[in-house]
Amino acid sequence: MKFAKLLSIMLLGIMLVSSVSFGQSIPSGTARYEALGYNPFIKDASIDINRNPSWATVYRNYVFGDIGRDVVGNDQYQLTEQWAGVNFGVSKDVSLGLVLNKFEDKWTDFNNYSNNVYGVNRPVVPLKVLFGWQMSPKFALGVAPYYAGWSYEFDSTGQNHKWSSMSLGGTIGVLGKLEGGWIEGAVDLKINKYKYERTIATTSNIDENEGGMQMDVFTRAFFTVNKNLGVNLVPYLGFGMYSWNPTSTPLVAGGYNKYSHLNFMGGLGLNMPVLDNGLLAGGLSLGYHQFENKYEASNYTYTYSEFVLPQFNLGIEWPFTDWLTGRAGYSRSVISSKSNVESAGNTYFWKSTGVSDSKQTITVGFGLDFNRFNLSGTVGEKLFKDGFYIMTGKTNEMFGVISASYYFGK
């Protein structure tokens, strides 16, 4: 209830400020994206800027971010995954901005191996700088360097311990206007490193990782196929890879396991206006994911792979009033998976075909618009099951994810 009171005070203050400010909000954020069915066929300022910094040339003089996510099992008033960003138009063709505390590294993809084994923590307080340049009326370039780091040291008589971790890299993106549409592309590259150095008496050891490179490539286009109805054809394609190879100095006998991950995803959909100022977007996707754990000393290899065919994403957004927008989404996948183990001359494998987790199949959300300010949220599933506190006496979080944005341009 504390959070609800705080949110009410924030909304009251925003309405008072907005009453003397005229402009239009730009709804965006994780809450909108998830409420519309985790939809790759929509345009969203927050999602697009973070994935491709060339969009910073489009959404100038804009503050955006996530107030937080209510995670099941957490304390009632605890929110996670909070971050904020701001982007300024510093000249006619150049924009500069910052995104703070938004984790974009792959540290959790392999069960945080270094943390479990050596006590190394994930890099903290990630910082991303946004730079956008409108090079011509039809072409924009964006660059976004990224850094996060963490370190800790313990020193006493006869021994010294140092722990450290780092994620360093960035994203480069382009955005091109076409006759009757546009096309974008982005490449994200980061290096993730950890190190645990210790000297006890006269013996020194170092545990660290080789590689740790992650790369993600994304491209998407909007082609207008019916100008009168505003119907757009939206194809997209994404590729990602990541490796994690522990090592040590001196090297232990037999070495270490090596981990890798590979991901392909692509699809085709439609994006069109409905219900006056509403939006309908959806389509089909297919993909392939693979994870490998390899230990060369014993000729052990574990491989997990899955084909996603098809994946459905559908979202609809429509305004109830000038200040209230409703959203609903649908997301479901058919997955064929295979697990394979090769060890000591023996091979084992398992196959299965099923569907994605039903817990997030249908999503619902809303947007509140107060002139230049927008607050978006997903509606918590328990609210539908148990109802409002005033009616049932049960305490439920109304919001699953809350995002906010403010447009302060002319």
Side-chain angles (χ1 to χ4, degrees):
M1 300 301 290
K2 293 180 181 178
F3 178 70
K5 292 178 181 178
L6 176 61
L7 184 59
S8 300
I9 294 172
M10 288 174 57
L11 291 176
L12 177 61
I14 290 163
M15 285 187 287
L16 292 175
V17 173
S18 299
S19 64
V20 296
S21 175
F22 296 94
Q24 186 169 349
S25 67
I26 305 176
S28 73
T30 305
R32 178 174 181 264
Y33 169 75
E34 293 189 5
L36 291 174
Y38 303 83
N39 207 315
F41 307 106
I42 65 169
K43 293 190 294 183
D44 184 277
S46 175
I47 301 297
D48 292 343
I49 289 175
N50 281 304
R51 185 169 51 203
N52 180 352
S54 65
W55 283 101
T57 62
V58 177
Y59 304 106
R60 297 153 57 94
N61 302 316
Y62 189 56
V63 179
F64 54 101
D66 288 349
I67 296 175
R69 177 188 298 273
D70 176 41
V71 180
V72 176
N74 279 357
D75 181 85
Q76 182 182 351
Y77 309 116
Q78 181 179 349
L79 295 176
T80 62
E81 300 178 35
Q82 299 169 316
W83 62 271
V86 61
N87 184 47
F88 299 94
V90 298
S91 72
K92 180 181 178 181
D93 299 320
V94 175
S95 63
L96 289 174
L98 292 173
V99 177
L100 302 173
N101 207 47
K102 189 176 191 304
F103 288 94
E104 296 182 351
D105 53 64
K106 302 291 187 182
W107 272 80
T108 58
D109 276 17
F110 296 98
N111 300 318
N112 211 347
Y113 177 88
S114 58
N115 184 34
N116 293 337
V117 179
Y118 306 122
V120 178
N121 286 352
R122 182 183 192 178
V124 295
V125 195
L127 169 67
K128 182 166 66 174
V129 179
L130 300 172
F131 171 77
W133 180 19
Q134 189 70 48
M135 302 179 68
S136 73
K138 292 188 176 182
F139 184 80
L141 173 69
V143 179
Y146 175 97
Y147 174 77
W150 172 86
S151 64
Y152 182 77
E153 183 173 357
F154 171 77
D155 198 3
S156 67
T157 304
Q159 59 178 307
N160 176 263
H161 299 259
K162 295 180 181 179
W163 298 264
S164 63
S165 62
M166 176 192 72
S167 290
L168 177 64
T171 310
I172 183 169
V174 294
L175 176 64
K177 295 181 181 179
L178 305 173
E179 193 67 33
W182 51 262
I183 187 169
E184 66 168 318
V187 178
D188 179 76
L189 182 66
K190 294 183 178 70
I191 299 295
N192 302 286
K193 301 287 289 184
Y194 72 83
K195 182 179 286 188
Y196 172 35
E197 304 175 81
R198 58 195 179 278
T199 300
I200 302 176
T202 59
T203 303
S204 297
N205 297 87
I206 298 176
D207 292 289
E208 56 187 336
N209 71 302
E210 298 174 337
M213 185 185 78
Q214 66 180 78
M215 182 175 69
D216 293 283
V217 181
F218 180 82
T219 183
R220 183 176 60 159
F222 266 51
F223 300 115
T224 301
V225 294
N226 190 312
K227 191 173 183 180
N228 293 330
L229 297 177
V231 179
N232 298 284
L233 187 66
V234 187
Y236 81 94
L237 181 64
F239 163 77
M241 60 172 292
Y242 183 55
S243 64
W244 190 260
N245 304 324
T247 187
S248 66
T249 304
L251 184 66
V252 301
Y256 296 85
N257 293 51
K258 296 182 178 181
Y259 307 90
S260 64
H261 182 263
L262 188 67
N263 177 63
F264 290 95
M265 204 72 192
L268 183 65
L270 294 176
N271 182 297
M272 60 185 292
V274 293
L275 304 176
D276 295 328
N277 296 320
L279 169 70
L280 176 65
L284 299 177
S285 303
L286 58 88
Y288 175 77
H289 313 301
Q290 178 179 292
F291 165 76
E292 184 178 84
N293 175 1
K294 191 171 185 178
Y295 185 52
E296 296 179 350
S298 62
N299 294 319
Y300 170 86
T301 301
Y302 167 75
T303 305
Y304 172 81
S305 60
E306 62 180 30
F307 284 95
V308 179
L309 181 66
Q311 173 179 295
F312 300 92
N313 296 97
L314 181 66
I316 185 170
E317 179 178 61
W318 69 100
F320 292 123
T321 67
D322 291 340
W323 57 270
L324 178 62
T325 300
R327 301 182 181 118
Y330 177 86
S331 176
R332 202 73 191 269
S333 303
V334 178
I335 300 172
S336 299
S337 63
K338 178 181 178 181
S339 298
N340 189 81
V341 175
E342 297 180 9
S343 178
N346 296 318
T347 300
Y348 310 90
F349 70 89
W350 301 263
K351 291 183 178 180
S352 67
T353 300
V355 294
S356 56
D357 192 344
S358 62
K359 292 180 180 179
Q360 295 298 328
T361 299
I362 297 177
T363 50
V364 179
F366 65 92
L368 299 174
D369 291 282
F370 304 104
N371 290 324
R372 297 173 179 270
F373 178 81
N374 175 266
L375 185 74
S376 293
T378 58
V379 178
E381 295 175 355
K382 287 189 67 177
L383 191 70
F384 291 107
K385 177 183 177 183
D386 296 335
F388 291 94
Y389 175 81
I390 193 172
M391 298 172 62
T392 66
K394 296 182 179 180
T395 302
N396 297 311
E397 295 297 333
M398 179 174 181
F399 310 107
V401 187
I402 304 177
S403 302
S405 65
Y406 184 79
Y407 172 62
F408 55 91
K410 295 181 180 180

